Amino acid sequence: MRLLRYFLFRLLQMFPIALFIVVINFALIHLAPGDVSILLAGEGADPEYMQSIRESYGLDRPLHEQLGAYLGQILQGDLGLSFRTREPVIDIIAERIPATLLLAGTALVLASIAGVAIGAVMARRPGSALDTAVTTLSISLFSIPVFWLGLMLILLFAVTLRWLPSSGMVSIAGPREGLGFVLDVVRHMILPVTALAAVWLGQYVRLSRASVSETLAEPYVTTARAIGFPERRVMTRFALRNAMLPIVTVLGLELGLLLSGAVLTETVFSWPGLGRLIYEAILSRDTPVIMGAFLIMSFTVMLAALLTDLLYAALDPRVRL
Amino acid sequence: MTPTAAKTLRATVASVPGALSLAVFLVICATALAAPILGLPDPADMAFALYQPPSAEHWLGTDNFGRDILSRVVWGAQVALTVAVGAALLSILIGSALGAIAGYFGGWVDGLLSRVFDIFLLIPTFFLILLIVALFGASLPLTIVAIALTTWPRSARLMRSQVLTLKSRVYVQAALAAGAPHWWVIVRHVIPNGIAPIITDGTILMGMAILTEAGLSFLGLGDQNLVSWGSMIFEGQRHLRLAPWMSIAPGVALLLLVASLNLLGDSINFAMNPQLRTRGGAPKRRATTAPPAGETAPAADTPILEVDDLRLVYHAGARRIAAVDGVSFTLPRGGSLGIVGESGCGKSSLGSALLQTMPNNAELTSGTIRFDGRAIVLGGKPVVENGRSRIDALRWTRMATIFQSAMNALNPVTTVRRQMMDALRLHKPGISREEATARIAEVFAMIGIPASRMNAYPHQLSGGMRQRAMIALSLILEPELVIADEPTTALDMLIQDQILGEIADLRERLNLSLILVSHDMGAVAESCDVVAVMYAGRIVEIAPTQRIFGNPAHPYTRTLIGALPSLTGPLEELESLPATDTAAAAAATGCRFAHACPAATDLCRRAAPPAVPLGAGHVSECHYAEDFAAEPSSEPHAAPAAAKEARA
Ligand code: SF4
């Protein structure tokens, strides 16, 4: 009950943000140099198509009406047409989402679990040589440009050692079903997931190290030790349980950052996801697709923030309206 | 450079990562600045030697156009640093200004701006920058502005919280009272004082800006007229198989620069808050000792607790602070002892030593603690018997503690009933659910917590109820000795008195032995038979309660009970003595209290006073103890009551 009310409240709060993002998008197209209709239809589009774009966006009408029309379109899930393929942007994007989810999701799960575990262990011996070394290492990890790390992994494992495929999600002549297909995808995933997870791992180790060592200094941990709980239990039930709260918050807030890493990784590995799509759109100056991708990414991040809020509220009984 | 900045810098360089990252960063800056005079070939010069691997002529090889990669990497450093400094500065400028305004004016201005900060946190900034650059055309200045426009809320949030704490400071208030205009106060007083954490964050911001620019360039959105590391990798990618060196070198450069910035920020942060690096942690393994030979079985009149010459030292960097400096006392079974002193006198350290819950930087250097005749600490080391430390066998079943619940002593994410259940089942693994529930209900009823509150979380209880829950938790296993550390601090007067009364009551009903640690004379007067006054790590006076209020034999005790206010000035002055002062007092020769004692003489400053026995368990460490004892405090018999009134 408490959670439901909280969820609805947070959901309501998201509307102005969504509106803000749409307005930014709208403002940017109109501020950008060049004719809006050319931006949306593509250079050298035939006059007929150009005219249909003008009409559907209401480009001859005053600005506020245009904004209204634009909002209306987005509410209907209409993000325009790609001028490269003339397909609806929303369909093109939807097609790419599963691949991105698979890549980013796997890396996220691996990196966060390993990161929290390593960080928690380091928090037990703060200031030790190992702790300093791990901290330095994890800072270095998230200082690596993820696309470069990807290239280096390709260079080592695909080009030099020839152990793993360097690009794509499936082999061209590989199996299309059953276990063989799954294994094929897994083989293709190893390098991009490693690149992405390595960079995030650095973030999570730092985050969890800071957060767990903070909770270990809390009075309730001293109480737990005075009661006589074994240190393992103090660590899990008291320290980690409470440390999860800030960890979850930051996880949610940094999702935008994570997605940008995913886009760059996909580009390197020609992973057929959203990132690859954005890259192709940039190369062919396909503005509607870039705009649509920005909107979808923004809404995804908002949705994730909402889910983390909910998770936070479930973890922390102090959260109330 | 201000003294604090110099100190921070020194502390930063003192750590290996700090020194190393600063060095790397400075070398990169110097190389970038010196690029024109290094005698490198023009980065755009196309030689005929395409795809040359690294050689004596081209240290890092050449690319697909035959351009020298070393030269391009060096010139690329200029671009990277321009982006870093430009974007970070602009972002901090916008952010600090808006953050200062939000924090300073508060009200709806703050509400609105904070909302904007929050919205920006939720926007995936990389994609927004990407969209801006894609729409407006790739150029370095635009990239810098776009990065600043999307990252400024970071600095804004930091500045806002800084300003909120600074606003109430005396000098800001004074400037305002003197008629200074708002903008002047913000620019002159608020921003300079609040900028430190923002500058630290600036190094992180610089790293982010560099990575963002590199990412954009890698996607083909880099400035075509400049050599940037990101665009070098973008080009190198296509020739990865043929000329891997094309992408290796700029990537290594990126990694070095960004890592040095991030490490530098981290080191500065730790230098400014050294406790961040070492606080918390699991209890460290300490040297233990075997039980002493010839221990006799406890008799009926064996004291529940005997402490002999206990010494506890904190290590803070190279400094050693003797927080407990030779404390001895004996608590008979069923007795109650109050330990009183100002904050920093070592009373809480003493409590943590008795419970063996000291932080890792604390160490017992000597002393014996006996519980019911059996040593649990011997020569400062915990006694281990059959592979288990004796104190662990006593925990909560025979010796429990009441912490100050206002300070998060209860786990905030677990219901109080659950916390009691966990403690009960830990020590009585076989207990059934029903029995356990019955026992919890019994204790709750005894403490006066309504059964309806059993399933509440700590934050759902009022201050008094929460403290009662803590007391209930401590009594769940029927311990013999309870150590209460400031159990009523931060509660309002009425509730304080109620809870003290309840503790005294419970003590009698359950025949508990009690140690009550408090800064408040009145609090111990009510519930303890004997009072020990601590100052700078030592018990300077100990006596039965009536005695210590009637004939205080130590000037410090007299200040504490307010019997000598005219001689020493108001009590608050003493209470606000910082802990370091007491530490300095402990290190001085002569009497520890001499620096503040109204009756100090040359003898006091020269020689430490002996423990003077005054009969009936009354001991005072003062050269003139006998004289003071002979002179009763102003209202001898009404004293405890008077002290209590004085508190109210
Ligand atoms: S020994 Fe001297 S300085 Fe110390 S308390 Fe007594 S009178 Fe004061």
Side-chain angles (χ1 to χ4, degrees), chain A residues 147, chain B residues 213-215 217-219 227-235 250 254:
Chain A
F147 52 90
Chain B
E213 193 278 333
S217 297
F218 181 72
L219 291 176
V227 190
S228 114
W229 292 338
S231 38
M232 287 177 75
I233 301 176
F234 174 62
E235 288 163 20
L254 264 173

Side-chain angles (χ1 to χ4, degrees), chain A residues 175-257:
Chain A
R176 285 289 172 270
E177 56 194 21
L179 188 65
F181 174 68
V182 174
L183 286 179
D184 189 36
V185 172
V186 168
R187 260 168 58 80
H188 281 83
M189 272 173 71
I190 293 178
L191 289 184
V193 164
T194 307
L196 206 48
V199 174
W200 296 351
L201 180 70
Q203 294 273 13
Y204 297 144
V205 168
R206 293 260 303 139
L207 178 61
S208 119
R209 152 73 173 80
S211 164
V212 172
S213 75
E214 199 164 311
T215 49
L216 276 176
E218 289 279 355
Y220 51 78
V221 167
T222 310
T223 309
R225 289 184 182 141
I227 290 177
F229 285 110
E231 201 49 37
R232 276 181 77 104
R233 190 115 171 246
V234 171
M235 196 66 193
T236 50
R237 275 295 271 286
F238 293 81
L240 255 182
R241 174 74 173 75
N242 279 283
M244 281 323 285
L245 303 175
I247 292 177
V248 162
T249 312
V250 178
L251 259 175
L253 281 179
E254 284 192 339
L255 202 89
L257 213 64

Side-chain angles (χ1 to χ4, degrees), chain A residues 53 76 84 93 118 127 136 143 150 155-156 162 164 167 176 194 211 213 227 240 259 263 267 270 273 299 313 320:
Chain A
I53 288 284
Q76 291 166 20
R84 206 158 49 101
I93 291 178
I118 295 174
T136 308
S143 305
L155 193 58
L156 183 60
R162 297 180 176 281
L164 292 162
S167 68
R176 285 289 172 270
T194 307
S211 164
S213 75
I227 290 177
L240 255 182
L259 281 176
V263 165
T267 310
S270 305
F299 295 150
R320 254 183 314 180

Side-chain angles (χ1 to χ4, degrees), chain B residues 540 553-556 590-605 607-610 620-625 628:
Chain B
V540 292
H554 195 283
Y556 179 62
C591 174
R592 282 153 207 260
F593 190 51
H595 68 106
C597 180
T601 63
D602 278 345
L603 172 66
C604 304
R605 279 180 276 269
S620 165
E621 280 191 353
C622 171
H623 287 297
Y624 307 101
F628 283 117

Side-chain angles (χ1 to χ4, degrees), chain B residues 375-610:
Chain B
I376 54 175
V377 170
L378 198 65
K381 297 188 185 86
V383 175
V384 169
E385 193 178 33
N386 303 330
R388 189 172 185 209
S389 96
R390 276 185 173 175
I391 179 92
D392 282 348
L394 301 176
R395 285 195 191 285
W396 233 248
T397 47
R398 302 190 64 189
M399 183 164 152
T401 172
I402 303 173
F403 288 118
Q404 190 185 327
S405 70
M407 297 295 294
N408 252 348
L410 295 168
N411 191 351
V413 296
T414 313
T415 63
V416 288
R417 195 181 78 92
R418 181 65 196 270
Q419 298 189 41
M420 309 205 21
M421 183 71 95
D422 286 345
L424 200 53
R425 295 182 127 185
L426 174 72
H427 291 290
K428 293 189 175 170
I431 194 169
S432 73
R433 252 205 127 67
E434 294 71 46
E435 276 177 279
T437 309
R439 171 67 188 151
I440 294 169
E442 183 190 352
V443 177
F444 271 150
M446 186 166 75
I447 310 294
I449 304 177
S452 62
R453 307 302 283 147
M454 279 214 318
N455 283 313
Y457 288 94
H459 74 277
Q460 293 171 325
L461 298 172
S462 68
M465 274 305 157
R466 195 158 56 225
Q467 191 62 62
R468 285 192 181 91
M470 178 75 232
I471 296 174
L473 178 61
S474 75
L475 296 181
I476 186 82
L477 284 145
E478 303 176 72
E480 293 148 63
L481 171 66
V482 172
I483 299 173
D485 190 354
E486 301 276 10
T488 58
T489 313
L491 297 175
D492 72 53
M493 276 313 151
L494 200 68
I495 310 283
Q496 280 197 24
D497 283 339
Q498 273 178 18
I499 289 193
L500 286 171
E502 283 160 21
I503 290 179
D505 208 46
L506 284 168
R507 189 172 81 74
E508 250 164 59
R509 270 172 51 202
L510 306 173
N511 191 28
L512 282 176
S513 310
L514 174 74
I515 292 181
L516 180 64
V517 177
S518 176
H519 67 282
D520 183 351
M521 266 302 216
V524 295
E526 193 157 343
S527 29
C528 298
D529 323 327
V530 176
V531 175
V533 174
M534 264 188 99
Y535 183 79
R538 284 189 71 84
I539 293 182
V540 292
E541 183 172 11
I542 183 165
T545 309
Q546 279 298 324
R547 258 310 262 255
I548 211 160
F549 279 98
N551 294 62
H554 195 283
Y556 179 62
T557 311
R558 295 197 162 216
T559 20
L560 271 191
I561 61 180
L564 289 171
S566 56
L567 289 179
T568 53
L571 190 60
E572 296 87 71
E573 256 172 50
L574 274 175
E575 277 184 344
S576 63
L577 272 181
T580 44
D581 270 11
T582 28
T589 53
C591 174
R592 282 153 207 260
F593 190 51
H595 68 106
C597 180
T601 63
D602 278 345
L603 172 66
C604 304
R605 279 180 276 269
R606 217 172 44 240

Side-chain angles (χ1 to χ4, degrees), chain B residues 284 286 309-327 344-354 356-367 377 379-381 534 536-538 583 586-587 592:
Chain B
K284 67 174 178 189
R286 298 173 193 269
D309 192 35
L310 197 66
R311 287 168 200 271
L312 181 146
V313 174
Y314 285 104
H315 299 275
R319 285 198 311 150
R320 284 163 60 89
I321 298 163
V324 178
D325 204 11
V327 161
C345 74
K347 59 187 191 300
S348 288
S349 305
L350 175 59
S352 73
L354 297 180
Q356 294 288 294
T357 54
M358 305 98 74
N360 282 338
N361 64 340
E363 191 193 347
L364 288 184
T365 52
S366 92
V377 170
K381 297 188 185 86
M534 264 188 99
R538 284 189 71 84
R592 282 153 207 260

